[in-house]
């Protein structure tokens, strides 16, 4: 325990008050960490190191071992903290971070100080005091290359880490570069990312080292598709702050699945990557009144274009789940393989690779953040904004879906799109309405909305399948029996009536 402060769960020894005070004073000197994190392939490490060394006056590489601690039940993680001790030769540096999820750009509270031993030093009034006995959970072992990239206006510390996250006999590779802002504009971090992306392909990083370690503890695998994480908003948030949280969630969802898709070409990962892009587009549309600026339309178009490439492959995956002849299936599989190749090529090219980085930069330093014309709208409370948006989207859906069983296929398609917009708005804004009654109404409304969208989606698949087959040059037999289609239309109409009758939760 090195004679300083007892760790949680430690013995009753009186803490060294001077050491505790010294620890807190040291923590206050570096209260926040602002860094941009990107990932690269292990085979590109040497080229990246050489490029950074050439751009800086001094660079060095050293081996680091960092041990992460938590309670047996991971109480620190649940409270939003990560606690580690970094072994740098004979030095021991203890760091406590607020480890909230981010997406590329991390702005976190951070406190650190040098200690004498290998056990964390925790003062009685520190944020993580009182959680119980702590223990080693996992570690990282990396070769770190550091350099200072500076000019008259900015100073950035660059760190390239190549190594592994380890727990027992389990390891996961770690290849990331971090730009930490010491002085100047955040925009410089993104400029550096683009300069180095010319040297080696870089992708926005969305996992902290502690997140990677906990995923290893949870036996999570990087080779599995993942659904979007729940979005939790606070009614005290401004519209601007809520927009940032929602967009960060969308970017994380995208990057988690893009990584799997690039590695495995898994259909589930492709589907979730496409869902993430739809969520991004929906978020941009939902907040366009406060976020429109000189780059807004171009970014939205870029997302739409990428989603269209993934959509072609997804349509073929869906078609393979239907009844096909052996010859048709063979042709569809061949086309699907070509569509997946096009997806991977798109994700690997410069434009496809940088879309999420572009969005992250725009979200952080875009002109929309300082536009005088939308200042009042950005600063209004998110709850009022959410209620009005949900009301308008519901009204639009009610109008478009009237007489759902009798309207044309084109009008039903428009209804499906309106239902999709309302569903995404419901999902991302629902956490604002947490009163007991609102929670109950929310579930009923969401379930009814999902039923409508499901049935309309089935109708869309029925209409799309012959077109996809014809586009592949596959002869389509006579019109299918109308019975299943009429039955699905009736189900959609009943679900729509239930939705319109459902009480609003906002």
């Amino acid at each position: 325990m090195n004679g300083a402060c007892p760790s949680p769960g430690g013995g009753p020894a009186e803490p060294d008050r001077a050491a505790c005070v010294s620890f807190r004073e040291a923590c206050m000197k570096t209260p926040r960490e602002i860094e941009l994190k990107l990932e690269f392939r292990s085979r590109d490490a040497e080229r990246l190191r050489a490029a950074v060394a050439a751009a800086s006056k001094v660079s060095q590489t050293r081996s680091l071992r960092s041990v992460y601690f938590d309670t047996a039940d991971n109480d620190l993680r649940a409270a939003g903290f990560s606690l580690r001790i970094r072994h740098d030769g004979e030095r021991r540096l203890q760091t406590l971070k607020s480890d909230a999820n981010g997406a590329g750009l991390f702005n976190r509270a951070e406190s650190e100080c040098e200690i004498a031993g290998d056990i964390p030093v925790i003062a009685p009034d520190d944020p993580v005091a009182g959680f119980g006995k702590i223990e080693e959970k996992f570690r990282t072992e990396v070769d770190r290359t550091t350099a200072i990239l500076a000019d008259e206006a900015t100073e950035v510390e660059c760190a390239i880490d190549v190594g592994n996250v380890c727990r027992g006999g389990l390891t996961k590779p770690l290849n990331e570069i971090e730009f930490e802002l010491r002085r100047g504009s955040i925009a410089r971090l993104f400029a550096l990312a683009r300069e180095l992306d010319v040297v080696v392909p870089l992708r926005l990083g969305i996992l902290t080292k502690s997140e990677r370690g906990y995923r290893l503890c949870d036996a999570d695998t990087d080779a599995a598709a993942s659904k979007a994480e729940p979005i939790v908003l606070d009614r005290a948030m401004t519209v601007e702050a809520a927009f940032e949280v929602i967009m960060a969630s969308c970017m994380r969802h995208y990057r988690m699945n893009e990584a799997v898709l690039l590695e495995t070409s898994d259909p589930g990962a492709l589907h979730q990557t496409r869902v993430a892009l739809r969520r991004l587009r929906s978020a941009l549309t939902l907040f366009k009144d406060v976020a429109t600026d000189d780059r807004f339309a171009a970014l939205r178009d870029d997302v739409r274009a990428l989603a269209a490439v993934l959509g072609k492959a997804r349509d073929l995956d869906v078609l393979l789940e239907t009844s096909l002849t052996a010859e048709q299936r063979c042709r569809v599989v061949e086309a699907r393989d070509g569509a997946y190749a096009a997806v991977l090529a798109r994700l690997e090219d410069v434009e496809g690779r940088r879309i999420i980085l572009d969005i992250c930069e725009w979200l952080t330093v875009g002109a929309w953040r300082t536009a005088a014309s939308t200042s009042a709208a950005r600063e209004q409370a998110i709850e009022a904004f959410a209620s009005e948006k949900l009301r308008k989207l519901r009204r639009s859906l009610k109008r478009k879906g009237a007489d759902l069983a009798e309207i044309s296929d084109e009008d039903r398609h428009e209804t499906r799109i309106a239902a999709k917009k309302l569903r995404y708005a419901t999902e991302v804004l629902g956490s604002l309405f947490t009163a007991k009654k609102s929670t109950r109404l929310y579930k009923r409304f969401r379930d009814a909305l999902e039923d409508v969208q499901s049935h309309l989606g089935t109708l869309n698949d029925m209409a799309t399948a012959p077109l996809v087959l014809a586009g592949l040059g596959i002869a389509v037999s006579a019109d299918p029996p109308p019975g299943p289609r009429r039955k699905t239309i009736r189900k959609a109409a009943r679900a729509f009536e239930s939705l319109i009758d459902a009480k609003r939760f906002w």
Side-chain angles (χ1 to χ4, degrees), residues 15-71:
D16 184 332
R17 299 297 179 188
C20 292
V21 171
S22 176
F23 172 64
R24 289 195 296 277
E25 289 178 346
C27 291
M28 293 175 65
K29 293 179 181 178
T30 54
R32 298 203 72 81
E33 171 191 60
I34 300 175
E35 69 178 17
L36 179 66
K37 187 188 298 288
L38 302 113
E39 299 175 1
F40 58 89
R41 296 169 297 196
S42 58
R43 66 175 181 265
D44 293 329
E46 289 309 313
R47 278 198 297 156
L48 188 58
R49 284 172 173 154
V52 169
S56 63
K57 294 181 178 179
V58 179
S59 68
Q60 61 174 338
T61 300
R62 64 192 192 277
S63 296
L64 300 176
R65 179 173 180 266
S66 297
V67 181
Y68 288 76
F69 296 85
D70 206 331
T71 66

Side-chain angles (χ1 to χ4, degrees), residues 92-274:
R92 300 292 184 268
L93 187 66
Q94 176 174 298
T95 304
L96 176 67
K97 295 184 181 183
S98 60
D99 217 25
N101 292 345
L105 189 75
F106 293 84
N107 186 341
R108 300 176 288 178
E110 178 188 63
S111 58
E112 60 182 22
C113 69
E114 192 166 345
I115 61 175
D118 296 337
I119 298 176
V121 174
I122 307 296
D125 57 349
D126 283 327
V128 295
F131 278 100
K133 185 177 180 180
I134 59 173
E135 59 187 38
E136 177 180 339
K137 304 297 289 189
F138 52 88
R139 65 190 184 281
T140 61
E141 297 174 350
V142 302
D143 290 329
R144 165 167 287 192
T145 300
T146 56
I148 300 299
L149 306 175
D151 55 29
E152 292 183 358
T154 60
E155 182 177 310
V156 176
E157 181 181 43
C158 173
I160 302 172
D161 288 339
V162 179
N164 294 288
V165 182
C166 313
R167 178 178 181 267
L170 299 176
T171 62
K172 288 288 183 181
L174 174 65
N175 300 285
E176 62 185 30
I177 180 170
E178 299 172 351
F179 299 109
E180 183 173 351
L181 186 66
R182 289 188 170 184
R183 172 174 54 86
S185 170
I186 291 177
R188 180 58 179 154
L189 303 182
F190 293 96
L192 286 170
R194 285 190 171 79
E195 291 171 16
L196 289 175
D197 182 62
V198 175
V199 180
V200 303
L202 299 175
R203 295 182 188 275
L204 195 69
I206 45 87
L207 293 175
T208 64
K209 291 182 177 67
S210 63
E211 283 185 283
R212 294 180 186 275
Y214 282 117
R215 284 167 65 84
L216 201 58
C217 293
D218 296 340
D220 280 351
T221 172
D222 292 333
S226 56
K227 293 184 178 182
E229 299 163 338
I231 294 175
V232 180
L233 302 177
D234 189 318
R235 284 180 291 180
M237 282 181 172
T238 63
V239 171
E240 180 177 313
F243 180 50
E244 292 178 26
V245 170
I246 292 167
M247 289 293 287
S249 173
C250 294
M251 290 190 291
R252 279 177 61 87
H253 185 204
Y254 175 86
R255 280 290 294 123
M256 294 284 281
N257 289 284
E258 182 201 35
V260 178
L261 179 58
L262 288 166
E263 183 70 22
T264 67
S265 296
D266 174 61
L270 182 137
H271 174 56
Q272 287 299 325
T273 304
R274 184 167 174 249

Side-chain angles (χ1 to χ4, degrees), residues 248-382:
S249 173
C250 294
M251 290 190 291
R252 279 177 61 87
H253 185 204
Y254 175 86
R255 280 290 294 123
M256 294 284 281
N257 289 284
E258 182 201 35
V260 178
L261 179 58
L262 288 166
E263 183 70 22
T264 67
S265 296
D266 174 61
L270 182 137
H271 174 56
Q272 287 299 325
T273 304
R274 184 167 174 249
V275 169
L277 290 173
R278 286 208 308 257
R279 294 177 71 235
L280 266 171
R281 288 178 59 192
S282 295
L284 290 170
T285 300
L286 191 64
F287 287 87
K288 66 180 179 180
D289 293 342
V290 299
T292 298
D293 62 11
D294 57 331
R295 296 186 64 193
F296 181 88
L299 289 171
R300 188 174 56 184
D301 289 346
D302 288 344
V303 173
R304 181 187 294 114
L306 179 56
V309 176
L310 272 67
K312 292 179 180 178
R314 176 61 182 169
D315 287 344
L316 294 167
D317 279 333
V318 172
L319 189 57
L320 285 171
E321 297 174 359
T322 63
S323 298
L324 300 172
T325 67
E327 180 181 358
Q328 288 175 333
R329 183 168 297 277
C330 183
R331 295 278 295 277
V332 173
V333 167
E334 181 181 359
R336 193 270 306 270
D337 291 344
Y340 267 74
V343 166
L344 297 180
R346 179 60 173 159
L347 294 178
E348 291 287 6
D349 69 28
V350 174
E351 290 79 11
R353 194 172 64 244
R354 289 187 178 180
I355 284 176
I356 298 302
L357 179 64
D358 290 343
I359 291 174
C360 184
E361 179 184 33
W362 170 79
L363 190 66
T364 307
V365 296
W368 70 276
R369 297 188 66 102
T370 55
S373 60
T374 57
S375 176
R378 293 196 311 273
E379 294 303 315
Q380 70 174 302
I382 183 59

